[in-house]
Amino acid sequence: MNNLIYPCLWFNGEAKAAAIFYNAIFPNFKILDENELVVVWELNGTRFMGLNGGPQFKFSEAVSFVIECATQEEIDHYWDKLTADGGSESMCGWCKDKYGVSWQVVPQVLGTLMSDPNKRDRVVAAFMQMKKFDIQTLIQAANG
């Protein structure tokens, strides 16, 4: 079976606006198809569908999209763009965009920093104080 599986995001009539918003943020983004009910796009090779479903359902942190970033500049870019114009910051690298979609903007190095049991507690203590991740602060915490 070669069924294509991809997420469908339920918007309150804003699927096209959301696609345009994400297109301005992510470099590997393209809209594949659209009509009044749905917009289908691809981001980094993964297909998504935005559905204009109405106000019945809202997004929650139960589903989030992780953006793994190699540099602080990437973290800053995604964080600033996603929280702009009505988005919101949360703790530990979590934020919501203006449509209520949850994102985790995390440094690629986090897994490495967390893999050392002698450093893990210091790294966790550092990022528990952060909204947007700061790579240098995490590295300094890991090194004591």
Side-chain angles (χ1 to χ4, degrees):
M1 292 178 21
N2 287 332
N3 301 64
L4 186 59
I5 298 173
Y6 55 92
C8 175
L9 304 175
W10 182 295
F11 292 92
N12 183 14
E14 300 172 313
K16 174 69 178 208
I20 292 168
F21 176 71
Y22 300 138
N23 186 40
I25 295 172
F26 296 99
N28 296 315
F29 186 100
K30 62 183 172 182
I31 295 175
L32 302 175
D33 193 18
E34 64 179 284
N35 59 51
E36 288 184 27
L37 186 59
V38 299
V39 179
V40 178
W41 65 83
E42 186 177 276
L43 172 57
N44 288 342
T46 299
R47 183 178 292 199
F48 293 80
M49 181 171 63
L51 171 69
N52 287 317
Q56 298 90 327
F57 301 109
K58 305 284 186 221
F59 294 109
S60 80
E61 292 83 356
V63 173
S64 62
F65 296 98
V66 179
I67 307 170
E68 198 172 70
C69 300
T71 67
Q72 189 64 47
E73 291 76 23
E74 287 181 0
I75 289 173
D76 295 345
H77 166 79
Y78 291 115
W79 189 268
D80 295 345
K81 297 291 185 182
L82 291 168
T83 60
D85 300 324
S88 62
E89 298 180 344
S90 190
M91 298 302 293
C92 306
W94 288 64
C95 65
K96 286 186 180 181
D97 65 33
K98 64 184 177 179
Y99 300 101
V101 176
S102 291
W103 299 86
Q104 296 180 57
V105 184
V106 300
Q108 286 176 343
V109 72
L110 186 61
T112 301
L113 296 174
M114 298 279 293
S115 66
D116 184 336
N118 296 317
K119 298 178 179 183
R120 182 179 308 126
D121 290 345
R122 292 191 304 269
V123 173
V124 171
F127 77 63
M128 291 296 287
Q129 304 302 311
M130 297 178 184
K131 290 186 177 185
K132 177 175 69 172
F133 276 116
D134 182 289
I135 294 173
Q136 276 307 111
T137 301
L138 293 173
I139 292 171
Q140 289 171 352
N143 294 327

